[in-house]
Amino acid sequence: MTVFLRGHHFGYELQRVAQMFFFGEKVEIADGEPEAGQPDGYLFAELDGGELRVSGCPCGDKHYRLLDTVQPEDRQNDVEHKFGVMIYRILSDATGIRPPWGVLTGIRPVKLFASRMRRGEDDGALRAHFTGGCLMSEERFSLAMQTAKAQKELLCRSTPDSFSLYVSIPFCPTRCAYCSFVSHSVEKAAKLLPVYVDRLCEELRYTAEIASSLGLSLRTVYFGGGTPTTLLPEQLSRICETISACFDTKNVWEYTVEAGRPDTITRKKLEVIRAAGADRISINPQTLSDSVLGAIGRKHTTRQTLEAFALARSCGCDNINMDLIAGLPTDTPEGFRASVDGILALAPENITVHTLTVKRSAEMTFERARAELAMVGDMVDYARNAVQAAGYRPYYLYRQNGSLSALENVGYAKPGTEGFYNVYIMDETHSIFAVGAGASTKLCHPVTGEIKRIYNYKYPYEYVDRFETVKERKLEIPRFYGYDKKKIPETCL
Ligand code: SF4
């Protein structure tokens, strides 16, 4: 499929819109008019004076032609949006696929809601824009609205002098078949682990010095990965103790450790992290079907998930998140519903429902894509309705590039148990200092709004070997914060 362009440069966005309908092939962009006799599999988006035209045969024999006009008040992005709507309309008719987020292609659709809310738009104006103008489904509109409202309160708590700390432990007991993270099986990385923990503790001390010299206040701590509880209790203990010794943790609102894989959770590890102040953990079953667990290469059982959950409760963990994934290989709508119901029966404080990112495949036909969309769509609809009926509310949401049906990942929480960090990582008003391999520090300037990222080496062996460079890069933090504190605004919003 090729989109030809003439008279404008909106190729990037039009490609993204078109790509939502094509899973087995890459949508190409080409300048100029299609040649006479061009075979099907193309669209031609042309801006000619004040007229926008999209025409062509995207698939099959049917020829399409839509027109629109540029209004005097239209800016560049309005014209781009009009082209996107025309392409969406043509491709949804031609393929029978209707991506529920309409023409929104970004991974953080809720940000668009939040910025319009800040400008004072009411619910009616937002509905008109997103469902009418952007072709978003009513369900996604409602989901995004609820999420944006829940986030507002959490974002307001973040002050210009606050920051969060992310600790990266990119190791897991084994690697899951669908993993898209840089995570290393602990067996292969066994020799590296002691020195990795040494370096991590050194980076923590160094980062704490920088934060202290800048007078910043630590608000949330998040251990992610990987699976942090892959580490031995002694290793976890060293890291936790380093944090307690170097950072001022008195005013931390939230301390999360992803315990991820149930087969890594032991009483000793839970005691270590609880003693350090961890008040929120994640236990991620992904599914409660043993056969699906086998198909995705997760070497644990549903029974281990239930035992780990009971153990965590008995250790006093009263804020537990559990992740599920819709669309796992071999899973069925019935199987997924049973997983949702089983998790609801446990009543964790948070439930996060992900949509599997399906790798593009040359064999993916429109028929198969429609069937998968319907099935995964059913799964996420069931989860959304069931968890909301059980009293959970959506509070963070993002989409991943490449997810088959351009669906979403949603964090639901019982009111009052929302994870601050999950919202701050998506937003651009709260700085996150990150340590460890694969971690990236996000700096948000409290005066100018500038965003800067500092990347650590991706792989643990690089991180360990080139640690001096890791430290050098961290010096960007004080340079970035070299602002006049008198200019800091009173509130974040
Ligand atoms: S537990 Fe998560 S990070 Fe680890 S291998 Fe599986 S998907 Fe990847």
Side-chain angles (χ1 to χ4, degrees):
M1 163 73 181
T2 304
V3 181
F4 291 91
L5 313 175
R6 188 160 71 187
H8 62 91
H9 302 284
F10 303 132
Y12 176 72
E13 184 57 19
L14 300 193
Q15 181 186 41
R16 284 163 62 91
V17 172
Q19 196 68 69
M20 290 194 288
F21 299 84
F22 291 86
F23 308 107
E25 62 173 287
K26 186 171 185 305
V27 172
E28 304 287 349
I29 295 293
D31 283 327
E33 194 174 352
E35 288 179 4
Q38 173 83 28
D40 75 345
Y42 77 94
L43 283 174
F44 178 32
E46 185 182 21
L47 177 60
D48 184 9
E51 190 168 272
L52 296 84
R53 289 189 286 268
V54 179
S55 56
C57 287
C59 54
D61 296 336
K62 190 167 171 186
H63 191 277
Y64 291 85
R65 182 175 165 83
L66 287 185
L67 301 178
D68 204 340
T69 48
V70 180
Q71 299 303 316
E73 67 277 13
D74 281 348
R75 293 158 300 167
Q76 287 285 300
N77 56 349
D78 297 316
V79 179
E80 181 182 67
H81 175 79
K82 286 181 174 179
F83 267 128
V85 167
M86 287 194 282
I87 286 189
Y88 182 100
R89 286 191 192 285
I90 290 174
L91 292 180
S92 56
D93 187 81
T95 63
I97 293 168
R98 281 177 190 73
W101 287 94
V103 294
L104 300 189
T105 56
I107 58 169
R108 293 173 195 167
V110 176
K111 269 178 66 180
L112 302 175
F113 281 70
S115 81
R116 283 178 175 265
M117 284 172 168
R118 277 198 296 272
R119 295 208 298 264
E121 288 192 19
D122 62 16
D123 290 10
L126 291 167
R127 173 172 274 104
H129 176 77
F130 287 107
T131 63
C134 298
L135 310 178
M136 185 186 288
S137 75
E138 192 57 44
E139 291 77 21
R140 292 314 186 280
F141 171 75
S142 161
L143 180 65
M145 280 289 281
Q146 287 184 67
T147 308
K149 287 176 181 173
Q151 285 186 358
K152 193 173 171 201
E153 209 173 298
L154 303 182
L155 288 170
C156 277
R157 292 274 304 269
S158 168
T159 53
D161 66 346
S162 65
F163 75 103
S164 291
L165 177 67
Y166 178 79
V167 182
S168 173
I169 314 288
F171 304 99
C172 290
T174 56
R175 204 168 150 80
C176 307
Y178 61 87
C179 183
S180 58
F181 299 98
V182 177
S183 181
H184 302 264
S185 106
V186 76
E187 269 173 37
K188 288 189 188 156
K191 279 196 193 139
L192 196 61
L193 271 174
V195 65
Y196 183 81
V197 172
D198 286 348
R199 294 287 181 271
L200 192 69
C201 290
E202 194 176 339
E203 193 186 4
L204 280 166
R205 284 190 286 273
Y206 191 66
T207 306
E209 272 172 34
I210 292 173
S212 164
S213 72
L214 293 167
L216 302 174
S217 303
L218 180 60
R219 294 302 185 206
T220 84
V221 178
Y222 195 100
F223 279 52
T227 305
T229 41
T230 303
L231 298 183
L232 299 170
E234 302 70 40
Q235 293 167 328
L236 276 174
S237 176
R238 266 194 68 204
I239 298 168
C240 290
E241 280 169 12
T242 304
I243 293 173
S244 304
C246 303
F247 289 89
D248 180 358
T249 53
K250 281 194 303 293
N251 297 313
V252 163
W253 301 328
E254 172 184 284
Y255 194 135
T256 303
V257 176
E258 279 191 21
R261 294 267 285 262
D263 46 339
T264 63
I265 299 173
T266 65
R267 179 173 290 279
K268 181 74 189 150
K269 291 179 196 178
L270 290 172
E271 284 171 357
V272 164
I273 59 173
R274 296 267 310 151
D279 55 4
R280 185 172 181 276
I281 64 167
S282 251
I283 300 172
N284 300 331
Q286 315 302 15
T287 170
L288 292 184
S289 157
D290 282 343
S291 71
V292 176
L293 284 172
I296 60 175
R298 269 173 90 93
K299 303 220 182 315
H300 65 82
T301 60
T302 299
R303 189 174 170 170
Q304 282 175 297
T305 300
L306 303 179
E307 286 171 356
F309 186 84
L311 179 64
R313 284 293 197 225
S314 76
C315 289
C317 297
D318 57 5
N319 191 350
I320 302 179
N321 170 68
M322 300 187 94
D323 279 6
L324 285 173
I325 302 180
L328 286 172
T330 76
D331 206 0
T332 60
E334 298 71 38
F336 183 74
R337 283 177 202 170
S339 295
V340 172
D341 295 347
I343 295 300
L344 284 173
L346 294 174
E349 285 61 40
N350 294 187
I351 299 175
T352 307
V353 181
H354 296 264
T355 306
L356 187 69
T357 300
V358 177
K359 292 208 170 63
R360 299 194 187 288
S361 138
E363 292 90 49
M364 181 65 87
T365 60
F366 289 119
E367 214 165 64
R368 215 181 114 199
R370 275 198 301 272
E372 289 208 31
L373 177 62
M375 186 182 78
V376 180
D378 263 9
M379 291 175 170
V380 294
D381 287 351
Y382 180 80
R384 188 177 63 248
N385 293 329
V387 299
Q388 295 204 62
Y392 296 80
R393 297 287 168 259
Y395 77 97
Y396 81 98
L397 183 159
Y398 64 99
R399 298 159 77 201
Q400 269 170 298
N401 286 329
S403 120
L404 169 66
S405 28
L407 295 179
E408 61 281 337
N409 303 321
V410 186
Y412 297 91
K414 289 183 180 169
T417 67
E418 296 85 356
F420 284 93
Y421 180 85
N422 289 327
V423 173
Y424 293 158
I425 188 75
M426 302 278 166
D427 192 68
E428 285 161 1
T429 56
H430 183 88
S431 291
I432 294 178
F433 294 2
V435 299
S440 75
T441 290
K442 178 184 70 173
L443 302 175
C444 304
H445 201 287
V447 177
T448 64
E450 185 194 347
I451 308 284
K452 186 170 188 70
R453 290 181 196 276
I454 307 169
Y455 295 96
N456 278 6
Y457 289 109
K458 196 168 166 185
Y459 298 103
Y461 71 87
E462 284 177 297
Y463 171 77
V464 162
D465 289 349
R466 301 162 80 177
F467 189 67
E468 284 312 308
T469 312
V470 172
K471 285 172 72 177
E472 266 167 41
R473 288 180 186 172
K474 277 265 170 340
L475 290 175
E476 193 54 46
I477 299 177
R479 280 199 284 272
F480 182 88
Y481 273 91
Y483 56 77
D484 178 354
K485 288 191 177 174
K486 289 190 199 102
K487 290 185 193 156
I488 297 175
E490 292 276 311
T491 57
C492 60
L493 293 176

mmCIF file of all heavy atoms in Angstrom, residues 115-146:
data_model
loop_
_atom_site.group_PDB
_atom_site.id
_atom_site.type_symbol
_atom_site.label_atom_id
_atom_site.label_comp_id
_atom_site.label_asym_id
_atom_site.label_seq_id
_atom_site.Cartn_x
_atom_site.Cartn_y
_atom_site.Cartn_z
ATOM 1 N N SER A 115 -4.975 18.533 27.775
ATOM 2 C CA SER A 115 -4.622 19.894 27.356
ATOM 3 C C SER A 115 -5.874 20.671 26.956
ATOM 4 O O SER A 115 -5.980 21.872 27.210
ATOM 5 C CB SER A 115 -3.555 19.874 26.270
ATOM 6 O OG SER A 115 -4.113 19.634 25.031
ATOM 7 N N ARG A 116 -6.859 20.008 26.376
ATOM 8 C CA ARG A 116 -8.111 20.714 26.051
ATOM 9 C C ARG A 116 -8.892 21.057 27.322
ATOM 10 O O ARG A 116 -9.530 22.096 27.411
ATOM 11 C CB ARG A 116 -8.971 19.870 25.107
ATOM 12 C CG ARG A 116 -8.441 19.920 23.689
ATOM 13 C CD ARG A 116 -9.202 19.086 22.714
ATOM 14 N NE ARG A 116 -8.651 19.327 21.390
ATOM 15 C CZ ARG A 116 -9.133 20.205 20.519
ATOM 16 N NH1 ARG A 116 -10.213 20.904 20.802
ATOM 17 N NH2 ARG A 116 -8.558 20.398 19.358
ATOM 18 N N MET A 117 -8.831 20.169 28.310
ATOM 19 C CA MET A 117 -9.505 20.467 29.586
ATOM 20 C C MET A 117 -8.881 21.707 30.239
ATOM 21 O O MET A 117 -9.567 22.547 30.793
ATOM 22 C CB MET A 117 -9.376 19.287 30.554
ATOM 23 C CG MET A 117 -10.293 18.139 30.238
ATOM 24 S SD MET A 117 -9.857 16.751 31.305
ATOM 25 C CE MET A 117 -11.228 15.683 31.032
ATOM 26 N N ARG A 118 -7.534 21.777 30.176
ATOM 27 C CA ARG A 118 -6.856 22.944 30.764
ATOM 28 C C ARG A 118 -7.269 24.222 30.054
ATOM 29 O O ARG A 118 -7.270 25.291 30.646
ATOM 30 C CB ARG A 118 -5.338 22.774 30.696
ATOM 31 C CG ARG A 118 -4.784 21.940 31.830
ATOM 32 C CD ARG A 118 -3.290 22.155 31.991
ATOM 33 N NE ARG A 118 -2.555 21.706 30.842
ATOM 34 C CZ ARG A 118 -2.104 20.463 30.681
ATOM 35 N NH1 ARG A 118 -2.323 19.564 31.608
ATOM 36 N NH2 ARG A 118 -1.432 20.132 29.604
ATOM 37 N N ARG A 119 -7.602 24.119 28.787
ATOM 38 C CA ARG A 119 -8.026 25.317 28.050
ATOM 39 C C ARG A 119 -9.491 25.649 28.326
ATOM 40 O O ARG A 119 -10.047 26.571 27.743
ATOM 41 C CB ARG A 119 -7.816 25.098 26.541
ATOM 42 C CG ARG A 119 -6.351 24.937 26.162
ATOM 43 C CD ARG A 119 -6.091 25.394 24.739
ATOM 44 N NE ARG A 119 -6.810 24.619 23.765
ATOM 45 C CZ ARG A 119 -6.282 23.580 23.097
ATOM 46 N NH1 ARG A 119 -5.038 23.216 23.346
ATOM 47 N NH2 ARG A 119 -6.979 22.924 22.210
ATOM 48 N N GLY A 120 -10.152 24.845 29.170
ATOM 49 C CA GLY A 120 -11.512 25.169 29.599
ATOM 50 C C GLY A 120 -12.613 24.534 28.774
ATOM 51 O O GLY A 120 -13.780 24.883 28.923
ATOM 52 N N GLU A 121 -12.283 23.579 27.905
ATOM 53 C CA GLU A 121 -13.340 22.944 27.107
ATOM 54 C C GLU A 121 -14.195 22.051 28.011
ATOM 55 O O GLU A 121 -13.673 21.310 28.842
ATOM 56 C CB GLU A 121 -12.723 22.106 25.983
ATOM 57 C CG GLU A 121 -12.140 22.971 24.898
ATOM 58 C CD GLU A 121 -11.793 22.174 23.640
ATOM 59 O OE1 GLU A 121 -12.304 21.066 23.446
ATOM 60 O OE2 GLU A 121 -10.990 22.705 22.857
ATOM 61 N N ASP A 122 -15.517 22.131 27.824
ATOM 62 C CA ASP A 122 -16.385 21.288 28.656
ATOM 63 C C ASP A 122 -16.590 19.922 27.990
ATOM 64 O O ASP A 122 -16.106 19.673 26.882
ATOM 65 C CB ASP A 122 -17.720 21.991 28.942
ATOM 66 C CG ASP A 122 -18.503 22.253 27.665
ATOM 67 O OD1 ASP A 122 -18.179 21.643 26.633
ATOM 68 O OD2 ASP A 122 -19.432 23.085 27.711
ATOM 69 N N ASP A 123 -17.341 19.057 28.688
ATOM 70 C CA ASP A 123 -17.504 17.678 28.201
ATOM 71 C C ASP A 123 -18.129 17.643 26.807
ATOM 72 O O ASP A 123 -17.752 16.820 25.969
ATOM 73 C CB ASP A 123 -18.377 16.862 29.175
ATOM 74 C CG ASP A 123 -17.639 16.591 30.482
ATOM 75 O OD1 ASP A 123 -16.561 17.190 30.692
ATOM 76 O OD2 ASP A 123 -18.141 15.796 31.290
ATOM 77 N N GLY A 124 -19.080 18.559 26.560
ATOM 78 C CA GLY A 124 -19.760 18.579 25.266
ATOM 79 C C GLY A 124 -18.792 18.924 24.137
ATOM 80 O O GLY A 124 -18.793 18.280 23.081
ATOM 81 N N ALA A 125 -17.953 19.924 24.393
ATOM 82 C CA ALA A 125 -16.998 20.329 23.353
ATOM 83 C C ALA A 125 -15.982 19.211 23.112
ATOM 84 O O ALA A 125 -15.579 18.943 21.979
ATOM 85 C CB ALA A 125 -16.284 21.607 23.774
ATOM 86 N N LEU A 126 -15.574 18.547 24.202
ATOM 87 C CA LEU A 126 -14.598 17.454 24.051
ATOM 88 C C LEU A 126 -15.215 16.306 23.257
ATOM 89 O O LEU A 126 -14.582 15.729 22.377
ATOM 90 C CB LEU A 126 -14.148 16.961 25.431
ATOM 91 C CG LEU A 126 -13.286 17.951 26.220
ATOM 92 C CD1 LEU A 126 -13.166 17.520 27.670
ATOM 93 C CD2 LEU A 126 -11.895 18.050 25.604
ATOM 94 N N ARG A 127 -16.472 15.975 23.577
ATOM 95 C CA ARG A 127 -17.138 14.885 22.847
ATOM 96 C C ARG A 127 -17.223 15.232 21.355
ATOM 97 O O ARG A 127 -16.939 14.396 20.489
ATOM 98 C CB ARG A 127 -18.521 14.624 23.427
ATOM 99 C CG ARG A 127 -19.304 13.616 22.583
ATOM 100 C CD ARG A 127 -20.609 13.157 23.187
ATOM 101 N NE ARG A 127 -20.407 12.042 24.074
ATOM 102 C CZ ARG A 127 -20.418 12.100 25.390
ATOM 103 N NH1 ARG A 127 -20.665 13.242 25.989
ATOM 104 N NH2 ARG A 127 -20.211 11.026 26.114
ATOM 105 N N ALA A 128 -17.623 16.480 21.072
ATOM 106 C CA ALA A 128 -17.771 16.874 19.666
ATOM 107 C C ALA A 128 -16.436 16.746 18.940
ATOM 108 O O ALA A 128 -16.363 16.246 17.821
ATOM 109 C CB ALA A 128 -18.282 18.314 19.584
ATOM 110 N N HIS A 129 -15.371 17.168 19.608
ATOM 111 C CA HIS A 129 -14.062 17.117 18.949
ATOM 112 C C HIS A 129 -13.601 15.674 18.728
ATOM 113 O O HIS A 129 -13.188 15.299 17.625
ATOM 114 C CB HIS A 129 -13.027 17.883 19.766
ATOM 115 C CG HIS A 129 -11.643 17.777 19.182
ATOM 116 N ND1 HIS A 129 -11.249 18.492 18.078
ATOM 117 C CD2 HIS A 129 -10.583 16.982 19.514
ATOM 118 C CE1 HIS A 129 -10.007 18.169 17.762
ATOM 119 N NE2 HIS A 129 -9.574 17.258 18.615
ATOM 120 N N PHE A 130 -13.663 14.876 19.809
ATOM 121 C CA PHE A 130 -13.024 13.559 19.710
ATOM 122 C C PHE A 130 -13.891 12.509 19.000
ATOM 123 O O PHE A 130 -13.376 11.706 18.236
ATOM 124 C CB PHE A 130 -12.591 13.068 21.095
ATOM 125 C CG PHE A 130 -11.390 13.813 21.606
ATOM 126 C CD1 PHE A 130 -11.494 14.750 22.622
ATOM 127 C CD2 PHE A 130 -10.149 13.589 21.039
ATOM 128 C CE1 PHE A 130 -10.383 15.451 23.073
ATOM 129 C CE2 PHE A 130 -9.027 14.283 21.482
ATOM 130 C CZ PHE A 130 -9.151 15.219 22.504
ATOM 131 N N THR A 131 -15.183 12.506 19.279
ATOM 132 C CA THR A 131 -15.988 11.486 18.586
ATOM 133 C C THR A 131 -16.405 11.975 17.204
ATOM 134 O O THR A 131 -16.348 11.232 16.234
ATOM 135 C CB THR A 131 -17.248 11.086 19.402
ATOM 136 O OG1 THR A 131 -18.078 12.231 19.536
ATOM 137 C CG2 THR A 131 -16.891 10.550 20.760
ATOM 138 N N GLY A 132 -16.798 13.251 17.111
ATOM 139 C CA GLY A 132 -17.227 13.778 15.815
ATOM 140 C C GLY A 132 -16.052 14.076 14.906
ATOM 141 O O GLY A 132 -15.981 13.594 13.777
ATOM 142 N N GLY A 133 -15.087 14.840 15.435
ATOM 143 C CA GLY A 133 -13.976 15.287 14.588
ATOM 144 C C GLY A 133 -12.897 14.246 14.381
ATOM 145 O O GLY A 133 -12.291 14.170 13.324
ATOM 146 N N CYS A 134 -12.640 13.447 15.433
ATOM 147 C CA CYS A 134 -11.527 12.481 15.332
ATOM 148 C C CYS A 134 -12.017 11.055 15.112
ATOM 149 O O CYS A 134 -11.193 10.133 15.042
ATOM 150 C CB CYS A 134 -10.677 12.525 16.599
ATOM 151 S SG CYS A 134 -9.905 14.112 16.884
ATOM 152 N N LEU A 135 -13.321 10.840 15.072
ATOM 153 C CA LEU A 135 -13.920 9.529 14.782
ATOM 154 C C LEU A 135 -13.626 8.489 15.870
ATOM 155 O O LEU A 135 -13.584 7.283 15.610
ATOM 156 C CB LEU A 135 -13.450 9.005 13.419
ATOM 157 C CG LEU A 135 -13.586 9.986 12.253
ATOM 158 C CD1 LEU A 135 -13.040 9.374 10.965
ATOM 159 C CD2 LEU A 135 -15.044 10.399 12.060
ATOM 160 N N MET A 136 -13.410 8.962 17.083
ATOM 161 C CA MET A 136 -13.135 8.042 18.190
ATOM 162 C C MET A 136 -14.446 7.377 18.627
ATOM 163 O O MET A 136 -15.504 8.000 18.585
ATOM 164 C CB MET A 136 -12.563 8.861 19.360
ATOM 165 C CG MET A 136 -12.131 8.034 20.533
ATOM 166 S SD MET A 136 -11.653 9.100 21.908
ATOM 167 C CE MET A 136 -10.135 9.734 21.316
ATOM 168 N N SER A 137 -14.372 6.113 19.052
ATOM 169 C CA SER A 137 -15.596 5.432 19.496
ATOM 170 C C SER A 137 -16.047 6.038 20.829
ATOM 171 O O SER A 137 -15.249 6.600 21.591
ATOM 172 C CB SER A 137 -15.347 3.932 19.676
ATOM 173 O OG SER A 137 -14.604 3.700 20.857
ATOM 174 N N GLU A 138 -17.334 5.888 21.103
ATOM 175 C CA GLU A 138 -17.913 6.430 22.345
ATOM 176 C C GLU A 138 -17.225 5.801 23.569
ATOM 177 O O GLU A 138 -16.941 6.475 24.547
ATOM 178 C CB GLU A 138 -19.418 6.134 22.334
ATOM 179 C CG GLU A 138 -20.233 6.837 23.377
ATOM 180 C CD GLU A 138 -20.112 8.367 23.345
ATOM 181 O OE1 GLU A 138 -20.149 8.961 22.249
ATOM 182 O OE2 GLU A 138 -19.963 8.945 24.434
ATOM 183 N N GLU A 139 -16.919 4.500 23.484
ATOM 184 C CA GLU A 139 -16.293 3.812 24.634
ATOM 185 C C GLU A 139 -14.904 4.370 24.909
ATOM 186 O O GLU A 139 -14.530 4.587 26.061
ATOM 187 C CB GLU A 139 -16.149 2.303 24.369
ATOM 188 C CG GLU A 139 -17.427 1.524 24.313
ATOM 189 C CD GLU A 139 -18.152 1.717 22.988
ATOM 190 O OE1 GLU A 139 -17.494 2.123 21.998
ATOM 191 O OE2 GLU A 139 -19.373 1.486 22.946
ATOM 192 N N ARG A 140 -14.137 4.611 23.841
ATOM 193 C CA ARG A 140 -12.786 5.132 24.066
ATOM 194 C C ARG A 140 -12.845 6.576 24.554
ATOM 195 O O ARG A 140 -12.023 7.001 25.349
ATOM 196 C CB ARG A 140 -11.940 5.036 22.779
ATOM 197 C CG ARG A 140 -11.619 3.611 22.377
ATOM 198 C CD ARG A 140 -11.152 2.800 23.558
ATOM 199 N NE ARG A 140 -10.704 1.472 23.214
ATOM 200 C CZ ARG A 140 -11.511 0.433 22.993
ATOM 201 N NH1 ARG A 140 -12.812 0.574 23.033
ATOM 202 N NH2 ARG A 140 -11.000 -0.753 22.753
ATOM 203 N N PHE A 141 -13.825 7.318 24.059
ATOM 204 C CA PHE A 141 -13.971 8.693 24.532
ATOM 205 C C PHE A 141 -14.212 8.687 26.049
ATOM 206 O O PHE A 141 -13.554 9.407 26.804
ATOM 207 C CB PHE A 141 -15.130 9.390 23.805
ATOM 208 C CG PHE A 141 -15.471 10.722 24.382
ATOM 209 C CD1 PHE A 141 -14.646 11.822 24.150
ATOM 210 C CD2 PHE A 141 -16.583 10.887 25.199
ATOM 211 C CE1 PHE A 141 -14.934 13.056 24.717
ATOM 212 C CE2 PHE A 141 -16.874 12.117 25.767
ATOM 213 C CZ PHE A 141 -16.051 13.206 25.521
ATOM 214 N N SER A 142 -15.142 7.862 26.468
ATOM 215 C CA SER A 142 -15.486 7.819 27.884
ATOM 216 C C SER A 142 -14.292 7.348 28.726
ATOM 217 O O SER A 142 -13.997 7.886 29.799
ATOM 218 C CB SER A 142 -16.702 6.900 28.020
ATOM 219 O OG SER A 142 -16.838 6.464 29.289
ATOM 220 N N LEU A 143 -13.570 6.345 28.205
ATOM 221 C CA LEU A 143 -12.389 5.830 28.920
ATOM 222 C C LEU A 143 -11.325 6.926 29.065
ATOM 223 O O LEU A 143 -10.761 7.132 30.146
ATOM 224 C CB LEU A 143 -11.823 4.648 28.117
ATOM 225 C CG LEU A 143 -10.592 3.956 28.676
ATOM 226 C CD1 LEU A 143 -10.907 3.269 29.996
ATOM 227 C CD2 LEU A 143 -10.060 2.921 27.668
ATOM 228 N N ALA A 144 -11.080 7.646 27.992
ATOM 229 C CA ALA A 144 -10.048 8.691 28.033
ATOM 230 C C ALA A 144 -10.479 9.838 28.948
ATOM 231 O O ALA A 144 -9.652 10.398 29.681
ATOM 232 C CB ALA A 144 -9.772 9.205 26.624
ATOM 233 N N MET A 145 -11.754 10.176 28.928
ATOM 234 C CA MET A 145 -12.240 11.265 29.796
ATOM 235 C C MET A 145 -12.042 10.900 31.268
ATOM 236 O O MET A 145 -11.542 11.704 32.062
ATOM 237 C CB MET A 145 -13.741 11.499 29.552
ATOM 238 C CG MET A 145 -14.053 12.307 28.334
ATOM 239 S SD MET A 145 -13.605 14.040 28.529
ATOM 240 C CE MET A 145 -14.957 14.632 29.501
ATOM 241 N N GLN A 146 -12.455 9.693 31.614
ATOM 242 C CA GLN A 146 -12.321 9.274 33.023
ATOM 243 C C GLN A 146 -10.856 9.266 33.433
ATOM 244 O O GLN A 146 -10.501 9.663 34.544
ATOM 245 C CB GLN A 146 -12.868 7.862 33.194
ATOM 246 C CG GLN A 146 -14.375 7.769 33.132
ATOM 247 C CD GLN A 146 -14.798 6.334 33.403
ATOM 248 O OE1 GLN A 146 -14.624 5.826 34.499
ATOM 249 N NE2 GLN A 146 -15.312 5.670 32.399
#
